[in-house]
């Protein structure tokens, strides 16, 4: 049996850093090659191989896959919802062409598995707001959401037509303290912790009652690895799986933070991101992921808040 060798593309990003470290624990440091357009993240330095790579350069990507004997790719390079609205053309180009480059190479080199994340951003104003189902009306209004929805169908197409084992999760907003978020609408739920600790106040760019689906990073990492380790014959969804953990509003997370920092104050100044948030569901039904591969989250709002504050305090933030 060939030994697994993994390439993580976009490894210096918010998810990439933690996922690379988790994969290195599982597969061995030298078997997980981190790559990114930007420089290697400090937390990755010394923990395993790193190559500088642009996913848009298909030839160079192909060379690396062959040279490093790669058997699995985790593709994390993308432009997220808020940044995408500032440059729709670039977001579409990176999010689509990057995925197509990886899927083509996976097909040609007969890679064992590919991981590519989608997002709750595929859903739009016409999707159900509460417990949004796996299969429903999907009419996204952001370029990011459009690119994710199209990407889901490319994954399904490569699976059906060419037998590429590509797996995907529609992540909710992810909250973490190790590496900074990359330009999403849910980023407020990370900024709020930093500002609460540094300044005891936060000006939120969403309205107080904007409920969104969220998840703490350890749950997102365990979901990703759980899906990638699941037996192929258990998987019934080849577009992307809904998963869910917590739903809260800025007002609710502020109240939770206040339990630890009593003089913390939040104010609200909604901007262009409000419209994006309003178009997304408030909560997600993940019963299919639970049934197919046993997905189960661990963190609720209070556990996550406690852990975020403790870890940011330890980091001296
Ligand atoms: P991020 O912006 O933090 O990281 C993306 C990384 O990709 C960055 O380090 C960036 O330098 C790199 N990159 C950009 N262009 C590249 C290129 N051409 N070649 C190689 N690398 C390039 O994003 P993230 O939050 O870690 O998200 C990773 C994936 O998960 C994305 O597909 C995103 O849509 C998806 N996702 C994230 C969230 C979230 O809340 N973070 C939620 C849903 C889905
Ligand atoms: C964003 O806000 O763009 C991301 C996402 C939910 O995909 N966090």
């Amino acid at each position: 049996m060939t030994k697994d060798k993994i390439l993580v593309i976009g490894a210096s990003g918010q998810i990439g850093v933690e996922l690379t470290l988790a994969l290195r624990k599982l597969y061995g440091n030298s078997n997980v090659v981190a790559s990114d357009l930007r420089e290697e993240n400090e937390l990755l330095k010394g923990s395993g191989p790193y190559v500088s790579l642009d996913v848009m350069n298909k030839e160079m990507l192909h060379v690396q896959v062959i040279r490093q004997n790669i058997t699995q790719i985790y593709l994390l390079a993308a432009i997220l919802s808020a940044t995408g609205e500032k440059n729709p053309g670039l977001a579409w180009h990176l999010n689509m062409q990057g995925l197509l480059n990886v899927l083509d190479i996976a097909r040609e080199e007969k890679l064992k598995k590919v991981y590519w994340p989608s997002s709750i951003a595929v859903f739009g104003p016409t999707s159900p707001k509460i417990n949004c189902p796996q299969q429903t009306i999907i009419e996204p209004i952001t370029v990011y959401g459009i690119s994710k929805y199209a990407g889901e169908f490319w994954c399904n197409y490569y699976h059906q037509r060419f037998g590429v084992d590509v797996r995907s999760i529609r992540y909710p907003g992810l909250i973490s303290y190790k590496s900074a978020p990359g330009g999403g609408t849910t980023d407020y739920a990370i900024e709020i912790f930093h500002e609460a600790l540094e300044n005891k106040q936060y000006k939120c760019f969403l309205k107080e009652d904007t409920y969104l689906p969220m998840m703490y990073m350890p749950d997102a990492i365990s979901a990703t690895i759980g899906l990638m380790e699941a037996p192929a014959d258990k998987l019934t969804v080849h577009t992307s799986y809904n998963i869910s953990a917590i739903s809260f509003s800025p007002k609710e997370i502020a109240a939770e933070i206040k339990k630890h920092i009593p003089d913390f104050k939040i104010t609200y100044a909604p901007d262009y991101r409000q419209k994006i948030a309003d178009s997304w569901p408030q909560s997600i039904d993940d019963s299919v992921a639970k049934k197919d591969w046993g997905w189960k989250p661990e963190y609720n709002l209070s556990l996550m808040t406690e852990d975020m504050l403790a870890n940011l305090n330890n980091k001296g933030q």
Side-chain angles (χ1 to χ4, degrees):
M1 208 174 94
T2 351
K3 211 167 155 195
D4 276 302
K5 187 95 186 271
I6 295 175
L7 176 66
V8 182
I9 302 172
S12 290
Q14 191 199 355
I15 303 172
V17 170
E18 300 205 38
L19 189 56
T20 301
L21 293 172
L23 290 170
R24 283 182 175 161
K25 256 194 191 154
L26 205 63
Y27 289 90
N29 286 353
S30 59
N31 293 321
V32 180
V33 182
S35 74
D36 205 292
L37 199 56
R38 58 174 150 156
E39 62 182 22
E40 186 177 18
N41 185 288
E42 282 302 318
L43 294 173
L44 293 180
K45 284 188 179 158
S47 73
Y50 176 84
V51 291
S52 176
L53 192 79
D54 181 352
V55 71
M56 301 302 276
N57 188 335
K58 190 174 174 188
E59 256 173 63
M60 285 310 294
L61 175 59
H62 205 155
V63 166
Q64 283 296 344
V65 166
I66 293 170
R67 188 183 289 164
Q68 310 258 5
N69 295 314
I70 296 300
T71 63
Q72 297 188 33
I73 295 180
Y74 285 65
L75 170 58
L76 304 173
I79 290 179
L80 279 75
S81 60
T83 310
E85 291 312 290
K86 291 186 183 150
N87 196 338
L90 184 68
W92 175 256
H93 191 49
L94 172 64
N95 296 2
M96 280 298 88
Q97 197 55 49
L99 174 60
L100 289 172
N101 288 349
V102 167
L103 290 174
D104 266 347
I105 291 169
R107 174 192 168 200
E108 281 172 46
E109 297 307 322
K110 299 189 171 35
L111 297 191
K112 276 200 204 163
K113 282 179 213 171
V114 173
Y115 178 74
W116 171 83
S118 182
S119 161
I120 52 134
V122 292
F123 299 116
T126 49
S127 305
K129 284 276 167 219
I130 308 293
N131 288 334
C132 189
Q134 177 69 47
Q135 281 177 312
T136 185
I137 300 171
I138 297 192
E139 296 178 328
I141 59 158
T142 61
V143 67
Y144 175 65
I146 300 169
S147 73
K148 288 296 183 188
Y149 200 39
E152 290 187 4
F153 281 92
W154 276 118
C155 290
N156 190 50
Y157 183 82
Y158 270 73
H159 175 262
Q160 305 295 346
R161 173 127 195 234
F162 306 120
V164 175
D165 186 353
V166 47
R167 305 181 183 194
S168 177
I169 284 173
R170 290 172 179 155
Y171 290 131
L174 301 182
I175 298 163
S176 66
Y177 59 88
K178 288 193 183 160
S179 43
T185 304
T186 58
D187 291 7
Y188 92 84
I190 302 170
E191 289 173 12
I192 195 170
F193 285 103
H194 290 270
E195 293 297 315
L197 286 167
E198 278 164 37
N199 303 316
K200 296 197 167 28
Q201 53 181 309
Y202 177 60
K203 198 205 284 183
C204 185
F205 58 74
L206 297 182
K207 289 190 214 154
E208 64 175 14
D209 55 353
T210 311
Y211 279 84
L212 286 172
M214 300 279 188
M215 182 175 288
Y216 198 30
M217 189 62 87
D219 277 335
I221 300 297
S222 96
T224 308
I225 290 174
L227 173 65
M228 290 302 276
E229 298 279 299
D233 61 1
K234 295 271 180 238
L235 305 181
T236 60
V237 174
H238 298 287
T239 48
S240 189
Y241 276 99
N242 276 10
I243 61 168
S244 154
I246 327 170
S247 281
F248 57 79
S249 63
K251 192 176 169 185
E252 281 183 359
I253 193 173
E256 200 59 42
I257 290 173
K258 254 175 163 315
K259 291 181 187 166
H260 303 265
I261 307 171
D263 45 351
F264 171 63
K265 287 202 170 39
I266 184 165
T267 54
Y268 301 93
D271 65 14
Y272 71 100
R273 288 167 282 194
Q274 184 66 47
K275 191 175 167 205
I276 302 177
D278 286 342
S279 77
W280 292 347
Q282 299 180 352
S283 60
I284 300 289
D285 172 15
D286 58 359
S287 47
V288 182
K290 284 181 168 146
K291 182 170 151 283
D292 282 6
W293 44 279
W295 152 245
K296 190 168 172 279
E298 278 188 11
Y299 285 86
N300 59 23
L301 178 57
S302 68
L303 284 176
M304 178 198 74
T305 303
E306 212 178 297
D307 203 65
M308 275 293 283
L309 290 172
N311 279 291
L312 287 174
N313 258 328
N314 282 344
K315 275 173 88 180
Q317 306 249 334

